[in-house]
Amino acid sequence: QVQLVESGGGSVQTGGSLRLSCKASQYADGNVCMAWFRQGPGQEREGLASIYSPTGRTNVLKSVKGRFAISQDSAENTVYLQMNNLKPEDTARYHCAWERTPGGTMCPIAVAFYETWGQGTEVNVSS
């Protein structure tokens, strides 16, 4: 059973940046997707970005593209979410997720696809 541990959250002002990290307990051998989601107060969990482990191909939600970027360090079993120009509406708990994929090169950012989740890390953006 893969375990995921997120870190890097915190409090920043509008326009600030944060880099979130998600470390997986085991190497992502084979066809694995990892992704970042967030859930704001009273809101549904929203997919932000995913990465296909074998190739590093990314899939980023249109509304955050240009501000958020996902990347990986396979040697460290770690996926990152770089968040720039943060806004108060980015305030949420951010979770990473892991799932094996039967094939293909693009990973979804749909909640229903992922079964393994981390506990999350809080991000608070003040105006």
Side-chain angles (χ1 to χ4, degrees), residues 20-24 34 71-80:
L20 307 183
S21 300
C22 172
K23 188 168 179 66
M34 292 189 72
S71 62
Q72 66 179 358
D73 183 339
S74 299
E76 295 292 329
N77 301 342
T78 300
V79 168
Y80 302 98

Side-chain angles (χ1 to χ4, degrees), residues 71-92:
S71 62
Q72 66 179 358
D73 183 339
S74 299
E76 295 292 329
N77 301 342
T78 300
V79 168
Y80 302 98
L81 184 69
Q82 178 68 44
M83 305 187 296
N84 299 324
N85 191 21
L86 283 161
K87 306 174 181 180
E89 51 264 42
D90 295 319
T91 294

Side-chain angles (χ1 to χ4, degrees), residues 69-121:
I70 187 170
S71 62
Q72 66 179 358
D73 183 339
S74 299
E76 295 292 329
N77 301 342
T78 300
V79 168
Y80 302 98
L81 184 69
Q82 178 68 44
M83 305 187 296
N84 299 324
N85 191 21
L86 283 161
K87 306 174 181 180
E89 51 264 42
D90 295 319
T91 294
R93 189 165 187 85
Y94 286 68
H95 298 265
C96 70
W98 184 103
E99 189 57 60
R100 291 201 180 275
T101 177
T105 60
M106 180 75 82
C107 293
I109 49 173
V111 172
F113 179 79
Y114 296 89
E115 293 194 358
T116 300
W117 294 85
Q119 291 298 308
T121 183

